[in-house]
Amino acid sequence: LNRYPLRDRLHRLLSESLRLPEENILLTPGSDGALKYLFQAYVRPYDKIVMLDPSYAMYPVYARMHQAEAVLMPYRPDRSLDGEAMLERIQPGARLVLLANPNQPVGTLMDESLLRAVLERAREILALVAVDEAYFPFSGFTTVPWIESFPHLLVIRTFSKAAGLAGLRMGYAAGHPEVLGNLFKVHAANDINSFGILCASLVLEHPEVIEDYVQEVRAGGELLSEKARALGLEPLPCAANFLLIRVAHRCAPERLIDQLKKRNYLVKGPFSTPCLQGCIRVTLGPPDGMLLFAEALADALAAV
């Protein structure tokens, strides 16, 4: 701990895991660090940033901080995207297309053909496309293999979700060396710490840690979905580590959220966005924990 952080081991392990040369990888303090460097290096006042709506709450905040315009792409009420409308928003003047895939709080994956069309359209107007894959381990879909074909693609990941290292602020960006070189120019000299490097390295050396946890989360999601349906609620398919449950046909979401809070459970909601109206969002865990939550959910529902 009396030495400055050494990145070599983690860099090498990531290179092997991603099957990318080390020059295609930049370590960052969480995915937020990568986003911060991306905006600092590439976004200028009055640039347009195309993003999904709703999505990670910090995207429009970063846009405002850099005096850029957030061009929002809303979801349909069924959580699907209008592909033509999406491509129409990627016009000259757009500096960056910023996509969380899977997206939160919506919980969906973008159709692969639409994602490729977005990359082709962005290439035409010389815009960057950043794909935030924070929830990749739960969805199993990644654009990392596309980096060689799309040099304007930047993939951002974190060790906060499936690896459970949110408090250590560890992440990385993968992309073309020129893009990463520009991010490197604005990064802090020692922006990640030795303990975070150690823990992230151990996780990569023991991938079963993440694999086992992902399987537990999926099993917990299946159990909670079954219990929610038995209560007359509507669980929605999600590609991340959370479950959206439509409850408005049984009770007001805010009343259910209040009753769950009294039972020491915090869930997200209510939502004003049309595609999420009437839903609560529950972070998933192993089946034992989800069974306890399902019991509390039944009690809370009965109370309202």
Side-chain angles (χ1 to χ4, degrees), residues 17-36:
S17 173
L18 299 174
R19 298 180 182 179
L20 289 174
E22 291 189 22
E23 59 264 27
N24 289 91
I25 303 166
L26 177 68
L27 298 173
T28 62
S31 52
D32 271 289
L35 290 167
K36 178 182 178 182

Side-chain angles (χ1 to χ4, degrees), residues 77 232-236 244-249 274-280:
L233 306 177
E234 183 186 359
L236 304 179
L244 288 166
I245 305 176
R246 203 177 299 280
V247 303
H249 58 289
C275 68
L276 299 178
Q277 278 185 348
C279 292
I280 62 172

Side-chain angles (χ1 to χ4, degrees), residues 176-190:
H176 190 277
E178 182 179 349
V179 175
L180 296 182
N182 289 328
L183 270 58
F184 184 82
K185 292 174 184 176
V186 298
H187 93 300
N190 293 296

Side-chain angles (χ1 to χ4, degrees), residues 197-264:
I197 291 172
L198 171 63
C199 292
S201 298
L202 290 172
V203 166
L204 289 175
E205 289 174 336
H206 298 278
E208 67 276 7
V209 172
I210 290 180
E211 293 167 2
D212 291 348
Y213 179 66
V214 168
Q215 291 303 318
E216 288 185 339
V217 166
R218 287 174 178 164
E222 291 173 2
L223 184 147
L224 181 57
S225 294
E226 180 182 337
K227 296 292 186 181
R229 280 190 289 266
L231 293 171
L233 306 177
E234 183 186 359
L236 304 179
C238 287
N241 68 335
F242 54 83
L243 184 68
L244 288 166
I245 305 176
R246 203 177 299 280
V247 303
H249 58 289
R250 289 290 314 276
C251 65
E254 55 269 23
R255 293 185 60 197
L256 183 60
I257 291 167
D258 183 61
Q259 287 295 327
L260 285 168
K261 186 175 182 179
K262 291 178 180 178
R263 290 159 175 79
N264 297 320

